[in-house]
């Protein structure tokens, strides 16, 4: 059995990008240290912050919650609460959220769940059964974002924390490069806040997905490996495959992708000149046109 590089216990993981073998204790310690370093490096948490943790019920969101809970429990100047979105996907999100809510009760955190049913009058299952040509993810993303932002704002949050990990982030950066979508690329890391839109933080953006999976197994988190039944995301899954091959042959490539993006980001405008931020005439939320995308979609679903 290979030993840990920091003590003489058995190693449970080999980090190819760092060349280290780590035991359970040192793996967890290293993981938490790196998340805290990301938070510090990007100034993600400031005195007076009230952070809304977006909990999907997946392993990433529980790790995120554990870390933030630990940080906040020793700081009196930062508050934490939890928000979730129930899209109305039977047998999937309902199960994840039931487990999440008993876990949260133990932590004693304020918890609010917003739903597609309340927000748009239809569940995602119902919308899918209406047979639109777009993928469910393209509707779902718009409303999830909308609901999280509204819940966070209504309860006085100054930041929304999401569980995006290194793989998610490297995939998003690469996808936008390849599509030449510079506006979306810039939006992954906005430089200035947009009025009415609560800034996002991604404390896990430097943690590889496989390490989060391992942490979830070791900590026995109340989650499963269920995948959303509507997950298709054709382009993203191709990118994931390509990145996995690259990472295998060139360990650390995902880190290079996000480091490179961090260097390029200050050179990109926050948004292109002509794209002003409006208030949606129907719902009053920030929008890139007179009527926001959520209201346009909603109109189709309720017809
Ligand atoms: Zn060790
Ligand atoms: Zn609107």
């Amino acid at each position: 059995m290979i030993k840990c590089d920091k003590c003489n216990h058995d190693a449970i993981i080999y980090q190819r990008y760092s060349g280290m073998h780590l035991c359970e204790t040192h793996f967890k310690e290293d993981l938490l240290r790196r998340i805290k370093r990301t938070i510090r490096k990007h100034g993600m948490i400031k005195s007076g912050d009230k952070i809304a943790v977006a909990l999907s019920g997946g392993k990433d969101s529980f790790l995120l919650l554990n870390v933030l809970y630990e940080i906040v429990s020793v700081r009196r100047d930062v508050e934490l609460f939890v928000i979730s979105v129930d899209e109305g996907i039977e047998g999937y999100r309902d199960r994840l959220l039931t487990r999440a809510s008993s876990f949260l009760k133990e932590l004693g955190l304020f918890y609010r769940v917003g739903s597609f049913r309340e927000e748009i009058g239809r569940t995602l299952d119902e919308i899918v059964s209406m047979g639109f040509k777009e993928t469910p993810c393209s509707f779902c993303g718009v409303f999830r974002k909308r609901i999280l932002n509204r819940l966070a704002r209504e309860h006085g949050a100054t930041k929304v924390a999401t569980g995006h990990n290194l793989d998610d982030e490297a995939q998003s950066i690469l996808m936008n490069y390849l599509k030449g979508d510079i506006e979306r690329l810039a939006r992954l890391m906005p430089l200035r806040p947009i009025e009415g839109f609560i800034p996002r933080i991604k404390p896990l953006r430097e943690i590889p997905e496989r390490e989060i999976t391992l942490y979830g197994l070791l900590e026995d988190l109340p989650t499963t490996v269920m995948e959303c039944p509507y997950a298709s995301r054709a382009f993203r899954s191709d990118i994931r495959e390509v990145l996995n091959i690259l990472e295998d042959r060139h360990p650390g490539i995902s880190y290079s992708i996000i480091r490179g993006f961090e260097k390029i980001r200050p050179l990109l405008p926050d948004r292109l000149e002509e794209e002003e931020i409006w208030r949606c005439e129907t719902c009053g939320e920030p929008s890139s046109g007179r009527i926001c995308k959520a209201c346009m979609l909603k109109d189709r679903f309720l017809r």
Side-chain angles (χ1 to χ4, degrees):
M1 192 76 185
I2 295 169
K3 297 290 177 192
C4 172
D5 285 331
K6 296 188 174 183
C7 69
N8 53 22
H9 285 111
D10 291 342
I12 57 159
I13 185 173
Y14 174 50
Q15 288 177 335
R16 293 188 60 197
Y17 58 88
S18 70
M20 298 250 278
H21 291 91
L22 296 171
C23 69
E24 178 169 347
T25 310
H26 284 113
F27 161 69
K28 283 188 203 161
E29 198 182 280
D30 175 71
L31 189 76
L32 299 181
R33 184 184 54 78
R34 282 187 292 139
I35 298 170
K36 288 176 187 169
R37 193 185 58 195
T38 304
I39 292 175
R40 268 197 314 276
K41 187 173 85 182
H42 294 281
M44 289 179 178
I45 301 179
K46 301 223 160 72
S47 185
D49 266 340
K50 186 167 179 182
I51 298 169
V53 184
L55 193 87
S56 63
K59 56 196 182 330
D60 311 72
S61 65
F62 279 110
L63 170 59
L64 175 68
L65 181 64
N66 276 2
V67 175
L68 293 178
Y69 187 76
E70 194 188 307
I71 292 175
V72 166
S73 60
V74 294
R75 284 182 67 159
R76 285 168 173 268
D77 59 339
V78 180
E79 277 181 76
L80 200 65
F81 67 100
V82 182
I83 53 179
S84 291
V85 176
D86 181 359
E87 304 94 336
I89 307 174
E90 214 189 315
Y92 173 66
R93 188 71 68 203
D94 48 354
R95 281 205 241 165
L96 286 173
L97 294 182
T98 312
R99 293 183 191 203
S101 86
S102 53
F103 181 79
L104 290 171
K105 241 177 229 154
E106 282 173 39
L107 293 183
L109 288 169
F110 178 81
Y111 183 40
R112 277 292 171 278
V113 181
S115 70
F116 276 30
R117 157 91 52 220
E118 275 164 29
E119 186 82 14
I120 45 181
R122 295 253 195 272
T123 64
L124 188 63
D125 286 340
E126 287 167 357
I127 294 171
V128 169
S129 73
M130 293 166 82
F132 294 103
K133 64 178 194 304
E134 297 96 327
T135 62
C137 303
S138 59
F139 310 128
C140 190
V142 172
F143 293 112
R144 286 183 57 77
K145 206 167 149 193
R146 160 63 46 94
I147 295 170
L148 289 175
N149 190 54
R150 193 178 45 72
L151 285 175
R153 199 182 53 220
E154 280 173 5
H155 295 95
T158 54
K159 308 258 168 71
V160 174
T162 63
H164 293 92
N165 60 44
L166 177 66
D167 300 48
D168 298 328
E169 197 71 351
Q171 285 160 17
S172 300
I173 294 167
L174 206 53
M175 279 167 71
N176 289 315
Y177 279 148
L178 295 179
K179 287 200 266 189
D181 196 336
I182 302 304
E183 282 169 75
R184 263 183 194 227
L185 183 67
R187 258 183 262 151
L188 289 174
M189 200 186 261
L191 300 179
R192 277 174 297 132
I194 298 169
E195 203 197 316
F197 193 72
I198 311 297
R200 303 264 176 135
I201 56 172
K202 301 176 212 169
L204 309 186
R205 68 191 291 278
E206 299 189 25
I207 307 296
E209 189 173 314
R210 69 184 279 259
E211 295 189 23
I212 298 177
T213 306
L214 180 58
Y215 176 89
L217 291 171
L218 296 170
E219 289 287 287
D220 198 20
L221 294 175
T223 184
T224 69
V225 286
M226 268 193 290
E227 221 196 308
C228 174
Y230 299 128
S232 58
R233 301 170 299 179
F235 189 48
R236 185 176 285 271
S237 40
D238 287 345
I239 296 289
R240 167 179 297 155
E241 227 170 279
V242 169
L243 261 179
N244 286 344
I245 294 170
L246 285 175
E247 189 63 48
D248 194 49
R249 296 187 192 160
H250 311 276
I253 198 85
S254 303
Y255 282 108
S256 314
I257 293 173
I258 70 164
R259 294 279 175 268
F261 172 60
E262 282 167 15
K263 286 181 206 157
I264 292 171
R265 181 60 191 93
L267 308 174
L268 302 173
D270 246 3
R271 42 186 174 269
L272 301 182
E273 297 292 333
E274 65 271 24
E275 197 204 31
E276 266 185 76
I277 292 291
W278 305 60
R279 289 266 161 195
C280 169
E281 286 175 5
T282 309
C283 69
E285 294 286 329
S287 163
S288 54
R290 284 174 45 216
I291 306 292
C292 75
K293 202 168 169 205
C295 287
M296 283 196 282
L297 284 173
K298 197 166 153 182
D299 199 45
R300 282 170 62 197
F301 301 152
L302 296 178
R303 222 173 266 163

